[in-house]
């Protein structure tokens, strides 16, 4: 066990750093980035430079980071576009876009180098509400279950669909999302009842 942990620490040098320090550094980067003025500024080079310095020690694959960033871009761009409703808001749009991406990168580095249960442990030591921590733990536990459920639904849909029409593909995606929501709500209700039957409050 100790040998495996040593190999893991060599694979990710930041793995050996105490989670409390990594969490504090991440919060400092995020807080500092948020407090920067809402317009393009050279001050954004400070958190960006810190993240670039930490990147070689984290050894996070660029492809992994780009895929996660691409998933977040839909929300980042959507929030940033709301700033364009105000006149002369182009600088604010750019600032919000830069801030959001820097914060997401900081959180990606933290999650890549720190097991999620260690992060929860540090948040518990900071005396965050137990309801929030339990919700985060359950969400982390059941995300792979939902992903596997999505794959099964996609395979079932593909095995019954012989058309390559793009409009039909989008219709299938919307149907899968709707069914996944219904199944997730039903699964969550069953899990909640099972936990209550076992004395959970």
């Amino acid at each position: 066990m100790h040998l495996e942990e040593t190999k893991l620490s060599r694979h990710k040098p930041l793995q050996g750093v105490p989670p409390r320090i990594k969490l504090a550094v991440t919060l400092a980067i995020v807080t500092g980035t948020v407090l920067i003025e809402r317009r393009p500024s050279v001050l954004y080079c400070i958190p960006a430079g810190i993240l670039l310095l930490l990147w070689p020690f984290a050894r996070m694959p660029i492809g992994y980071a780009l895929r996660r960033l691409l998933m977040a871009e839909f929300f980042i761009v959507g929030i940033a576009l709301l700033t364009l409703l105000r006149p002369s808001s182009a600088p604010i749009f750019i600032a919000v876009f830069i801030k959001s991406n820097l914060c997401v990168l900081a959180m990606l580095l933290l999650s890549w180098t720190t097991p999620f249960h260690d992060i929860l442990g540090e948040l518990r030591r900071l005396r965050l509400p137990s309801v929030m921590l339990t919700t985060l733990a359950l969400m982390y536990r059941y995300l792979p279950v939902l992903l596997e459920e999505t794959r099964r639904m996609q395979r079932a849909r593909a095995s019954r669909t012989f058309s390559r029409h793009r409009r039909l593909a989008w219709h299938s995606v919307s149907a899968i999302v709707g069914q996944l929501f219904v199944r997730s709500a039903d699964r969550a209700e069953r899990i909640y009842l099972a936990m209550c039957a076992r004395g959970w409050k």
Side-chain angles (χ1 to χ4, degrees), residues 104-115:
V104 171
L105 275 176
M107 299 304 297
L108 282 176
L109 285 176
L110 175 65
S111 62
W112 177 255
T113 58
T114 311

Side-chain angles (χ1 to χ4, degrees), residues 96-143:
V96 170
F97 182 79
I98 296 174
K99 285 184 179 184
S100 301
N101 280 284
L102 289 175
C103 292
V104 171
L105 275 176
M107 299 304 297
L108 282 176
L109 285 176
L110 175 65
S111 62
W112 177 255
T113 58
T114 311
F116 191 72
H117 60 84
D118 288 344
I119 298 176
L120 286 180
E122 292 301 324
L123 294 177
R124 189 173 292 108
R125 292 188 185 94
L126 293 175
R127 300 189 181 280
L128 266 69
S130 59
V131 173
M132 184 177 70
L133 296 178
T134 302
T135 302
L136 289 174
L138 290 174
M139 180 185 68
Y140 179 77
R141 168 63 180 83
Y142 285 102
L143 272 178

